[in-house]
Amino acid sequence: MSGVGERIQALRTGKGLTQRDLAEPNYTAAYVSSVENGHRVPSSDALAHFAARLHVDVTQLTTGRHPGDALSIEIDLLEEVQPQLWYEQLATDPTALDTRRAAAEVVLGRRRLAAGAPDDAVGHFERARRLVPPTLAHLRTPAVAGLALCARLQGDPGYAAYLLTGFRDELHRAGLPDPASVLAVHALLALCQHDLGEDAAPAASTALALAGPGAAAVSAFVATARTLAASSHLPEARAALAAAGAAVLESWLADEIAGAFRIRARARLAAGDLAGALADLTAARQRSTGPAALDALVDLAEVHRALGDPTTARALLSAADPAIAPDADALITPGTGAHGGTAGGDGDADSDLEGNRRDRTGGGGSTAEVRRARAHRVHALLSQDAGDLEAAERHLRAAIAIHHGTGPRRELAQLSLDLADLLTAMRRPDDALAVLADGLTAVDTHAG
């Protein structure tokens, strides 16, 4: 009995069909019997007839391999559920498709990033980028996004922006405006531009115009792809798989997309669009359960303060950082002045890349310390609103102390101006001048 005949017989009996059922209307039961017994080799027309009657692909009859088997590898690459060794072997398998090897390298890079090792992740992302041919530039997006994330975590948002703008132009030249790629590139670019003190709102808006359901859709798309592949509906399965890939990329960049929402929210807040800012910050909070969600709480507190709701604002600040006392008692260690010590702090912010995981989201490398400084600033605004200028001063000094330790921050200059204005209002002009002088020195010190 031939291999083809064996497979036809197994599929026929498995579906409860007789030889006559399989044969009609084009062939006879005797012909089916001779094929199944290996006495005759079916023609291409006969194979197409049998495949249609059995609801399978011709390839499955001739080779015994289910046409959906190849897609199962793509699904495993997307779900990232296989053990480490599986991805390592696939990444180095010279017989595997280059695009699959690239996808495996991306998984390995993501895992190194999750482990807090961006230096190690760079190699994986770079190999992935090189494996994908220029004609499939949009498939390089996860690798380029990974390289940009690494550069930003390594303190070089300028290089990250260079990578992203170059890749954006490459996609444009290739005529590949893939929505998932455009979303990823512009969300990351917005954060880098914000880090660099540039106008990030246009890039953020471009990204958010394409934001989809993200993580919520991944499992549904993957399940659909598996089902369609198993039933040999391959074009539909590939479409579902492509949608799953876009959702996975968006899910992986959830914090960065949340950061883009926060950037646009700040622009809307500055323009007086409180409803728009509130909507964006609510979306940012829902997008992330990590540090970006805490950042959004601080920004939401500022919006609620602008809406005249100090109670909600203080509650949000407490949720974002319970360690900050609303009355700002003992925030500054005696003798430290505007900059000294680590007021309200978690230690030296420069150590976050050395041992602690640095937040991936927005605005000047938004570490826990920077988030705390912003919370102090909103507390200061609330204290001013309530007429407690002494508490407002303590909160502003605490914020300045944190920014002074976390490196170049345009917020440092603005906070110095805010504190000087406050001290002037408190009829302390000499102290105001001292704050401005100290602030200028600090900004100059961190200018590089």
Side-chain angles (χ1 to χ4, degrees):
M1 190 184 299
S2 71
V4 174
E6 285 180 338
R7 286 187 283 276
I8 291 174
Q9 185 181 54
L11 289 166
R12 175 180 63 77
T13 57
K15 293 180 180 292
L17 300 176
T18 65
Q19 291 179 333
R20 185 177 298 278
D21 292 332
L22 182 61
E24 293 180 343
N26 298 336
Y27 300 93
T28 65
Y31 178 74
V32 171
S33 177
S34 65
V35 169
E36 291 182 348
N37 290 326
H39 296 153
R40 297 190 66 170
V41 176
S43 66
S44 58
D45 289 341
L47 283 172
H49 169 81
F50 294 149
R53 296 287 286 168
L54 294 168
H55 301 290
V56 298
D57 191 273
V58 172
T59 302
Q60 189 170 350
L61 295 182
T62 56
T63 67
R65 293 192 299 271
H66 192 284
D69 290 346
L71 286 182
S72 67
I73 297 176
E74 313 292 342
I75 293 172
D76 285 339
L77 284 165
L78 278 182
E79 289 192 301
E80 299 186 21
V81 294
Q82 294 289 350
Q84 181 82 359
L85 183 60
W86 189 87
Y87 297 100
E88 291 175 351
Q89 290 177 337
L90 180 56
T92 57
D93 182 359
T95 66
L97 294 173
D98 283 346
T99 52
R100 288 182 186 165
R101 293 177 60 196
E105 291 282 11
V106 166
V107 172
L108 295 171
R110 287 175 178 172
R111 291 185 173 184
R112 295 310 298 150
L113 265 184
D119 292 351
D120 297 338
V122 167
H124 292 294
F125 290 131
E126 185 57 43
R127 284 191 289 275
R129 183 172 68 163
R130 291 177 179 175
L131 281 166
V132 179
T135 53
L136 299 174
H138 63 295
L139 298 184
R140 293 181 179 176
T141 302
V144 174
L147 287 169
L149 281 172
C150 290
R152 191 164 178 255
L153 285 170
Q154 292 165 327
D156 195 351
Y159 180 64
Y162 167 78
L163 286 174
L164 293 165
T165 53
F167 183 60
R168 179 196 62 193
D169 295 344
E170 180 184 359
L171 289 173
H172 179 73
R173 289 193 302 270
L176 293 168
D178 172 57
S181 298
V182 174
L183 167 61
V185 168
H186 283 86
L188 284 165
L189 184 58
L191 297 184
C192 294
Q193 289 173 335
H194 192 267
D195 293 348
L196 296 166
E198 300 171 358
D199 181 11
S205 294
T206 299
L208 299 180
L210 297 167
V218 173
S219 59
F221 282 133
V222 168
T224 300
R226 283 193 187 279
T227 300
L228 290 170
S231 57
S232 299
H233 294 291
L234 299 189
E236 295 86 351
R238 291 191 181 95
L241 198 58
V248 166
L249 180 62
E250 188 172 340
S251 175
W252 181 46
L253 296 176
D255 278 355
E256 285 66 38
I257 294 170
F261 272 112
R262 292 177 55 234
I263 288 170
R264 189 171 70 179
R266 290 180 194 172
R268 287 178 165 178
L269 178 60
D273 181 6
L274 299 183
L278 189 63
D280 276 346
L281 292 171
T282 300
R285 186 179 178 186
Q286 293 170 343
R287 283 270 169 176
S288 173
T289 57
L294 298 177
D295 291 335
L297 289 178
V298 176
D299 292 339
L300 276 169
E302 185 171 358
V303 173
H304 279 281
R305 178 254 175 186
L307 288 168
D309 185 1
T311 301
T312 300
R314 291 186 186 278
L316 288 165
L317 290 172
S318 179
D321 194 338
I324 300 180
D327 59 4
D329 286 342
L331 289 173
I332 300 293
T333 303
T336 60
H339 308 141
T342 55
D346 295 325
D348 184 0
D350 291 336
S351 69
D352 59 324
L353 285 178
E354 310 259 337
N356 302 322
R357 192 185 76 84
R358 181 171 179 160
D359 295 0
R360 273 171 42 182
T361 48
S366 179
T367 62
E369 290 83 1
V370 174
R371 178 167 56 249
R372 176 164 291 182
R374 289 175 177 156
H376 277 300
R377 176 182 170 275
V378 181
H379 270 302
L381 293 172
L382 291 167
S383 296
Q384 281 185 269
D385 293 342
D388 189 349
L389 301 187
E390 288 77 12
E393 178 187 354
R394 290 193 292 271
H395 277 297
L396 286 174
R397 288 188 182 276
I400 288 173
I402 294 170
H403 279 304
H404 179 76
T406 55
R409 295 283 185 268
R410 59 188 174 280
E411 287 92 341
L412 178 57
Q414 184 60 55
L415 285 166
S416 298
L417 291 173
D418 292 343
L419 180 55
D421 288 343
L422 178 65
L423 292 171
T424 300
M426 296 170 71
R427 298 182 179 179
R428 293 163 55 187
D430 292 342
D431 289 343
L433 287 173
V435 165
L436 289 173
D438 289 349
L440 181 61
T441 299
V443 171
D444 285 344
T445 299
H446 295 299

